[in-house]
Amino acid sequence: MSHRSFVWLCLLPLAVVTAAFFLLPMARLVVTGAGGPQGLAGYLAILTEPRYRATLINTVLLAAATTIVTLIVATIAGMFLQRHRFPGRAVLIAMLTFPLAFPGVVVGFMIILLAGRQGLIGDFSNRLFGEKLVFAYSIYGLFLGYLYFSIPRVILTIMAAVQKLDAGLEEAARSLGAGPWAVQRDVVLPALAPAFVASGAIAFATAMGAFGTAFTLATNIDVLPMLIYTEFTLAANLSTSAALSVGLGIITWFILALARSFSGSAVAAAG
Amino acid sequence: MSAQAGHGAAVRIDACGKTFADGTRALEPATLDIARGETLVLLGPSGCGKTTMLRIIAGLELPDAGGRVLFDGKDMTPVPIERRNVGMVFQSYALFPNMTVSDNIGYGLKIRGVPSKERAERVAELVALTNISGLENRRINQLSGGQRQRVALARAVAIRPGILLLDEPLTALDAALRDRLRGELNRLLRALGITTIYVTHDQSEAMELGDRVVVMQKGAIAQIGTPREIYFTPRSRFVAEFIGAANIVEATIEDRHLVLPGGRQPIHCDVDMPAVVAMIRPETIRVTSTGSASLSGTIDSISFIGDRQRLVVSGASNRLLTVDAPNTLRTRPGERIGLSISPDAVRLLPPES
Ligand SMILES: Nc1ncnc2c1ncn2[C@@H]1O[C@H](COP(=O)(O)OP(=O)(O)OP(=O)(O)O)[C@@H](O)[C@H]1O
Ligand SMILES: [Mg+2]
């Protein structure tokens, strides 16, 4: 067997899996999306129909906020954890990355325990101000849940990137007169840019499409996955939910591509 | 360029030792004075503490308690590197990959708030000085090793530092380029007149560049002196063997002669001694006929190097003797030859070293 045909043979399983579990259902989804009363125009509904559009904007804002806050929190924490040695560090890292194993349902459950009607925050605010603070069942609860979900993943990526930073670059910047802030701005953050893009993309995509947490918290939160669910199960509106699904995929992909091209120069330079 | 001369600061290292957190003793307490505008080379084998010493001067490493670093008489020990005004060239160059060549060179000036017009002028000046015209807008990963080295130097010099610190700046380059850049670097350092501390493990680099050379051994200073001093009058066997080629012979002294298996070699020493260690450089030994010479031996092997040939001679001393002979000398292995050495060329070393 020639080297070439061997390579092709190895690619066969990949081709089968791709076709069976990816291309065929996707094609079916796309066809179904166009199968409604409006035909292909069903795809535009996600942008033209006011309720859908509002939900889309909501979802994108939620995902963007989650990504930004996650990156800020995880960068500071990851940098500190990677650069300092202190007793209990290993335990802390283990604890921070523990939620990696949780499904969305468990995360939602924990948000209810924290900010629900019987939650800790409510108890606390009740005692302090005589008023119960409850936000678990809203988009704010969902935001908190997504943070909880994304931070561990991003922290791990950032820690690995910080470990690979060239300490010589920071020393060089300092020798040229750069103080701690300037070193972060001019050397550390640019070098971490690829890690930001990679881990930010995962946080963003997760927040766009995650369902379990939202479903656990409430059924009337205005995010796209919930909308698809209600259209599909409650309204039995198969074509709309298919069109919305395809729309969700395309929009997420588009925003990620945009982010990547924006940071592209920084990534290329730091790589 | 004359406008840049005399920017140097005088450096004093006062009882600076370094013990790392894990207990490694990298540097024994050392005291050292470096004059304004001088080029001092720290020379020694790998792991002897050269980089550690350089980093203490830079302010990247604190000396052990009791050690002080002074610039122009001012105690700089607690001052962090960003406020010491030192220019540093790292072995890996540590150029900023997210900036262009000119942004790298101008970075220190930008941090200092120099207006962009003035900055551009200074960058242009340094680009010309270090011979990198045309590369200003390149990224670092688009440069060759030699070009990177020049950019690193330009960046360090741009801030008009009082002291320039270089950690093996040529080691990463191939031999031919290294030789060329060494000459260039030498001229540049002389022209700039900045106090320079240069780390290397290459003795020929040290001798070409240094006004004085500090030879280091296992965290301690073995000898300080001009290149001539450390070459001609090494104070220990370690220094003698580390700087250039050296024959180390063990012998006794009798009546102003070194008594060797191959004969009696006259030397300048009035006292008789039972066991001495002496150094003789290969190029100080002349090949003569057996009759007229004080020493004689048999040629073991000959390597032709080009500008000279290196003979290995047995039977003259207690171990093989290396002799540099003119490249025109006709001889062959197995031949008996006479060796004539001036008494001035024999250097006695402390026996234990
Ligand atoms: N951060 C550190 N922690 C512990 N030991 C260290 C540290 N840095 C250096 N050392 C040790 O201190 C000694 C001197 O190191 P140094 O880097 O000064 O050597 P060097 O002369 O520059 O060697 P080279 O020519 O290989 O660069 C070595 O034994 C090294 O292992
Ligand atoms: Mg070193």
Side-chain angles (χ1 to χ4, degrees):
Chain A
M1 190 185 302
S2 80
H3 183 75
R4 239 186 123 85
S5 48
F6 177 73
V7 170
W8 282 113
L9 200 71
C10 290
L11 279 176
L12 198 64
L14 177 69
V16 171
V17 170
T18 309
F21 298 105
F22 191 76
L23 291 178
L24 291 180
M26 278 289 275
R28 187 64 216 262
L29 198 65
V30 172
V31 171
T32 312
Q38 300 142 293
L40 269 175
Y43 278 111
L44 289 179
I46 194 170
L47 295 174
T48 51
E49 165 93 24
R51 188 166 70 91
Y52 294 170
R53 192 171 57 220
T55 306
L56 172 68
I57 291 171
N58 241 352
T59 312
V60 171
L61 286 181
L62 173 67
T66 306
T67 309
I68 290 167
V69 175
T70 302
L71 282 178
I72 292 171
V73 172
T75 302
I76 296 170
M79 204 113 82
F80 181 85
L81 284 172
Q82 189 59 48
R83 289 266 165 107
H84 297 84
R85 295 287 177 272
F86 50 89
R89 174 176 173 271
V91 179
L92 188 62
I93 293 177
M95 245 168 60
L96 276 171
T97 51
F98 193 62
L100 277 176
F102 289 160
V105 187
V106 179
V107 173
F109 185 49
M110 290 173 80
I111 296 301
I112 292 176
L113 288 180
L114 186 71
R117 272 180 284 277
Q118 262 77 47
L120 280 171
I121 293 179
D123 268 2
F124 200 66
S125 66
N126 197 13
R127 269 188 225 151
L128 230 55
F129 314 109
E131 197 176 330
K132 238 180 186 178
L133 190 62
V134 174
F135 60 86
Y137 315 104
S138 67
I139 201 150
Y140 301 105
L142 195 57
F143 171 66
L144 202 64
Y146 286 168
L147 278 189
Y148 194 71
F149 205 73
S150 304
I151 285 174
R153 282 152 232 270
V154 177
I155 278 191
L156 287 182
T157 314
I158 301 281
M159 279 177 68
V162 169
Q163 188 178 23
K164 274 193 281 174
L165 283 183
D166 179 359
L169 286 183
E170 290 171 56
E171 290 178 348
R174 291 181 61 199
S175 78
L176 294 165
W181 288 111
V183 170
Q184 294 298 315
R185 183 193 63 212
D186 299 332
V187 176
V188 176
L189 294 184
L192 291 180
F196 289 152
V197 173
S199 59
I202 290 178
F204 184 81
T206 310
M208 282 294 284
F211 172 69
T213 313
F215 189 66
T216 315
L217 292 179
T219 43
N220 59 350
I221 295 181
D222 278 340
V223 290
L224 271 179
M226 287 304 293
L227 182 64
I228 294 168
Y229 174 77
T230 42
E231 288 294 332
F232 183 55
T233 54
L234 306 181
N237 196 345
L238 213 61
S239 65
T240 305
S241 55
L244 287 175
S245 304
V246 173
L248 174 66
I250 289 176
I251 288 165
T252 307
W253 175 85
F254 178 73
I255 292 175
L256 289 181
L258 209 65
R260 207 170 296 146
S261 74
F262 262 123
S263 57
S265 54
V267 175
Chain B
M1 275 223 321
S2 56
Q4 296 180 337
H7 275 286
V11 180
R12 181 176 172 79
I13 299 158
D14 188 23
C16 283
K18 181 72 194 178
T19 311
F20 282 106
D22 64 356
T24 310
R25 189 121 173 96
L27 203 60
E28 302 295 328
T31 297
L32 196 59
D33 272 300
I34 304 151
R36 184 183 291 251
E38 180 180 12
T39 298
L40 185 89
V41 177
L42 302 178
L43 173 69
S46 184
C48 71
K50 307 179 295 288
T51 298
T52 305
M53 172 94 91
L54 197 75
R55 289 172 64 85
I56 288 175
I57 299 170
L60 287 170
E61 216 77 75
L62 267 182
D64 292 345
R68 292 192 311 158
V69 175
L70 298 98
F71 291 177
D72 279 335
K74 196 164 155 275
D75 189 358
M76 300 298 275
T77 321
V79 178
I81 181 169
E82 52 263 37
R83 284 193 272 117
R84 287 196 185 189
N85 199 37
V86 294
M88 224 174 155
V89 177
F90 296 80
Q91 184 174 348
S92 61
Y93 306 141
L95 296 170
F96 306 126
N98 52 321
M99 298 180 200
T100 62
V101 166
S102 13
D103 288 348
N104 263 280
I105 298 174
Y107 183 75
L109 302 171
K110 193 170 156 204
I111 289 288
R112 282 166 173 71
V114 175
S116 65
K117 183 163 169 290
E118 209 182 315
R119 203 159 75 215
E121 282 167 15
R122 177 79 178 144
V123 168
E125 203 179 304
L126 284 156
V127 163
L129 193 67
T130 50
N131 262 324
I132 45 174
S133 311
L135 304 177
E136 290 91 332
N137 294 316
R138 293 252 188 113
R139 295 231 169 234
I140 300 310
N141 57 11
Q142 299 168 323
L143 299 180
S144 73
Q147 291 166 340
R148 286 178 204 208
Q149 198 275 332
R150 291 157 198 254
V151 176
L153 185 68
R155 183 180 70 176
V157 172
I159 57 170
R160 300 183 198 274
I163 300 153
L164 186 60
L165 305 170
L166 304 107
D167 194 352
E168 312 219 11
L170 303 179
T171 304
L173 308 173
D174 64 67
L177 188 59
R178 197 156 60 221
D179 282 351
R180 213 179 70 223
L181 283 185
R182 189 200 291 173
E184 232 174 77
L185 196 60
N186 195 15
R187 280 190 294 282
L188 198 70
L189 294 181
R190 309 273 151 213
L192 292 174
I194 307 175
T195 310
T196 303
I197 300 165
Y198 188 103
V199 166
T200 181
H201 62 253
D202 179 332
Q203 45 97 13
S204 56
E205 209 171 292
M207 290 203 272
E208 178 167 353
L209 292 173
D211 292 319
R212 282 189 305 157
V213 177
V214 177
V215 185
M216 297 180 64
Q217 178 188 18
K218 292 190 193 134
I221 294 178
Q223 187 169 355
I224 308 176
T226 64
R228 278 168 217 282
E229 282 166 356
I230 57 163
Y231 187 80
F232 290 119
T233 56
R235 257 202 255 118
S236 67
R237 181 168 178 168
F238 171 80
V239 176
E241 287 185 312
F242 196 75
I243 312 293
N247 291 296
I248 306 291
V249 300
E250 280 127 28
T252 56
I253 299 180
E254 265 171 33
D255 188 23
R256 298 189 178 203
H257 281 79
L258 215 50
V259 180
L260 291 163
R264 289 164 65 87
Q265 165 65 36
I267 58 163
H268 299 303
C269 179
D270 295 334
V271 264
D272 289 1
M273 279 191 270
V276 292
V277 178
M279 177 202 77
I280 305 165
R281 297 279 183 203
E283 74 275 13
T284 60
I285 306 177
R286 256 182 340 106
V287 177
T288 59
S289 61
T290 35
S292 61
S294 49
L295 289 178
S296 61
T298 310
I299 297 180
D300 236 41
S301 64
I302 303 172
S303 17
F304 182 76
I305 296 170
D307 57 346
R308 66 209 137 92
Q309 51 189 333
R310 182 153 279 189
L311 317 181
V312 176
V313 178
S314 63
S317 90
N318 58 323
R319 62 183 74 187
L320 295 175
L321 212 58
T322 306
V323 177
D324 280 353
N327 52 8
T328 48
L329 183 76
R330 292 291 208 163
T331 184
R332 60 194 147 67
E335 199 173 317
R336 269 198 81 74
I337 50 167
L339 302 171
S340 129
I341 305 163
S342 150
D344 298 325
V346 182
R347 164 95 185 151
L348 292 183
L349 300 172
E352 39 68 49
S353 62

